């Protein structure tokens, strides 16, 4: 079976639409235009635009694998991948052939993880059959922004700082410290380093989002000018009404005061033009799931992250 690399940035519209059709055949997918924008951009955790390999039947693309790598030292060994085959072409070894093409697509990477495998789906069975290991289980949640929640009173000694777009110079180190406190969030056995932030990395990632036409909002909580917690929402270029609630963390010394809920409530007051927000939280993170439910988020589905050793 022929697996060929596809240079997505220079691919024909027919091929681009072909890859999107494979993705869309399996449920929740962005529109074609929004998908193309996402596939030409870094993702929200700083991994580069994906590389692609495809399998065709005649001219038509019937399956693809995509893989993103990161230039950040902390994640230099790992790739994020996704693979999918059109339903009527499954169980003929195409998925296996695409998985086999991964190492040549991302030379030098020793681990690849897919974070989009629905529980009890063909993808989960395929992953098990091909020896991929489940590293964590995540819950996808959605909030339709219909009204704004009340923002609770800040406990004494705390203050909130908010910004949109580029992180102000005076807060960049504090912000980095807060992001790195995410390292103790429960993400199972993943090879992805969700800490490892530096001021340079923050600048690179925010510039990537902002120059592409996206937006970023941050709410920080300070205690004596030191970081106590933060939350971040990002809207990718081209997605006017839909945003992604990213990192939320309250540092251990400041937990138990309701700061997570308070920051997320405040965040909703900061967003402009956002009608729907998605977020992903470890299925083990009962506390964060509860905070989200109390803001009106509903659970959409559970998905698995699976890991391949290359
Ligand atoms: C996962 C997916 C890519 C597999 O593609 P595929 O071309 O059917 O995979 P293969 O034919 O190479 O299957 C290899 C083996 O996986 C297992 N497998 C695949 N689909 C299965 C299913 N629905 N039920 C049980 N086992 C399954 C079988 O052991 C199969 O070997 P067999 O057909 O000889 O029994 C396809 O089902 C898909 O596109 N799913 C949606 C996207 C997705 O979940 N991606 C997961 C990324 S890890």
């Amino acid at each position: 079976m022929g697996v060929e690399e596809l240079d997505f940035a220079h691919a024909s519209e027919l091929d681009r639409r072909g890859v999107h059709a494979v993705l869309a055949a399996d449920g929740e997918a962005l529109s074609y235009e929004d998908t193309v924008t996402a596939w030409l951009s870094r993702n929200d955790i700083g991994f580069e635009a994906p590389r692609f390999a495809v399998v065709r039947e005649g001219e038509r693309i019937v399956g693809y694998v995509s893989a993103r790598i990161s230039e950040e030292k902390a994640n230099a060994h790992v790739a994020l991948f996704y693979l999918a085959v059109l339903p009527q072409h499954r169980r003929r070894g195409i998925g296996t052939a695409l998985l086999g093409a991964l190492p040549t697509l991302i030379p030098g990477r020793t681990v690849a993880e897919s974070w989009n495998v629905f529980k009890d789906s063909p993808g989960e069975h395929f992953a098990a059959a091909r020896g991929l290991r489940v590293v964590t289980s995540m819950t996808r949640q959605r909030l339709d922004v219909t009204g704004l929640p009340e923002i609770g009173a800040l406990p004494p000694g705390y203050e909130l700082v908010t910004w949109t777009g580029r992180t102000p110079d005076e807060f960049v180190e504090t912000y980095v410290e807060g992001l790195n406190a995410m390292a103790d969030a429960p993400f199972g056995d993943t090879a992805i380093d969700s800490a490892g932030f530096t001021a340079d990395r923050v600048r690179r990632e925010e510039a990537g989002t902002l120059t592409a036409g996206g937006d970023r909002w941050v709410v920080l909580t300070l205690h004596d000018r030191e970081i106590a917690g933060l939350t971040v929402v990002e809207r990718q270029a081209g997605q006017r009404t839909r945003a992604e609630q990213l990192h939320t963390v309250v540092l251990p010394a400041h937990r138990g005061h309701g700061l997570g809920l308070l920051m997320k409530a405040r965040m909703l007051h900061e967003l402009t033009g956002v009608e729907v927000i998605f977020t992903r939280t470890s299925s083990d993170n009962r506390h964060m799931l509860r905070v989200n439910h109390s803001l009106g988020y509903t659970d959409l589905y559970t998905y698995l992250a699976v890991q391949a050793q290359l």
Side-chain angles (χ1 to χ4, degrees):
M1 178 170 323
V3 181
E4 64 183 78
E5 285 189 29
L6 179 76
D7 176 2
F8 193 80
H10 301 102
S12 67
E13 178 164 355
L14 195 66
D15 278 351
R16 287 182 172 196
R17 286 196 180 270
V19 184
H20 179 256
V22 177
L23 171 72
D26 209 53
E28 188 207 19
L30 299 175
S31 69
Y32 168 71
E33 288 75 16
D34 289 350
T35 302
V36 170
T37 306
W39 281 345
L40 293 174
S41 321
R42 275 174 200 273
N43 73 0
D44 52 30
I45 57 167
F47 281 67
E48 291 176 5
R51 300 146 185 221
F52 288 83
V54 300
V55 168
R56 296 177 192 266
E57 191 167 272
E59 290 295 296
R60 185 178 181 216
I61 291 173
V62 297
Y64 77 91
V65 59
S66 63
R68 293 179 183 265
I69 58 171
S70 164
E71 287 307 319
E72 303 302 334
K73 244 205 301 247
N75 284 316
H77 59 303
V78 55
L80 290 172
F81 80 100
Y82 188 67
L83 66 86
V85 174
L86 283 177
Q88 60 276 31
H89 293 267
R90 291 181 188 171
R91 303 305 290 270
R92 296 187 206 159
I94 298 176
T96 302
L98 289 164
L99 187 65
L102 254 185
T104 25
L105 207 55
I106 43 167
R109 263 57 188 178
T110 54
V111 184
E113 292 185 359
S114 177
W115 279 68
N116 305 79
V117 183
F118 290 108
K119 199 145 176 42
D120 303 321
S121 71
E124 184 181 3
H125 300 305
F126 169 82
R130 288 293 161 259
L132 278 63
R133 197 165 63 92
V134 174
V135 290
T136 193
S137 161
M138 304 288 290
T139 301
R140 185 82 166 144
Q141 296 178 304
R142 169 189 175 122
L143 174 69
D144 289 286
V145 185
T146 47
L148 291 176
E150 263 185 48
I151 309 170
L154 263 182
Y158 289 92
E159 63 175 310
L160 290 185
V161 176
T162 65
W163 67 81
T164 306
R166 190 175 185 277
T167 306
D169 290 336
E170 62 174 308
F171 292 119
V172 75
E173 290 301 338
T174 314
Y175 179 52
V176 165
E177 200 184 321
L179 289 172
N180 284 330
M182 287 290 296
D184 65 349
F187 286 120
D189 221 357
T190 177
I192 296 169
D193 187 344
S194 52
F197 282 92
T198 60
D200 282 351
R201 175 170 168 195
V202 162
R203 290 292 182 222
R204 261 196 309 280
E205 288 184 15
E206 68 188 12
T209 304
L210 300 174
T211 50
D215 300 280
R216 230 167 204 246
W217 292 269
V218 175
V219 175
L220 278 195
T221 305
L222 301 180
H223 184 264
D224 284 343
R225 306 301 290 168
E226 306 235 320
I227 184 77
L230 62 78
T231 188
V232 185
V233 167
E234 185 165 296
R235 177 167 55 194
Q236 298 276 317
Q239 296 184 22
R240 280 168 303 283
T241 58
R242 173 192 162 121
E244 187 79 23
Q245 165 73 63
L246 301 176
H247 332 283
T248 299
V249 65
V250 175
L251 276 78
H254 304 282
R255 292 182 186 159
H257 301 302
L259 291 173
L261 177 60
L262 193 143
M263 287 190 294
K264 282 189 154 176
R266 173 62 186 263
M267 176 61 89
L268 294 174
H269 290 255
E270 299 295 316
L271 305 175
T272 44
V274 174
E275 291 168 13
V276 53
I277 307 177
F278 291 88
T279 194
R280 50 199 178 214
T281 301
S282 166
S283 308
D284 297 332
N285 195 343
R286 296 276 142 232
H287 180 64
M288 190 54 74
L289 291 170
R290 201 173 50 239
V291 164
N292 291 344
H293 290 148
S294 70
L295 286 166
Y297 279 87
T298 54
D299 295 352
L300 292 176
Y301 51 83
T302 304
Y303 64 96
L304 306 172
V306 299
Q307 188 183 76
Q309 302 290 335
L310 301 181

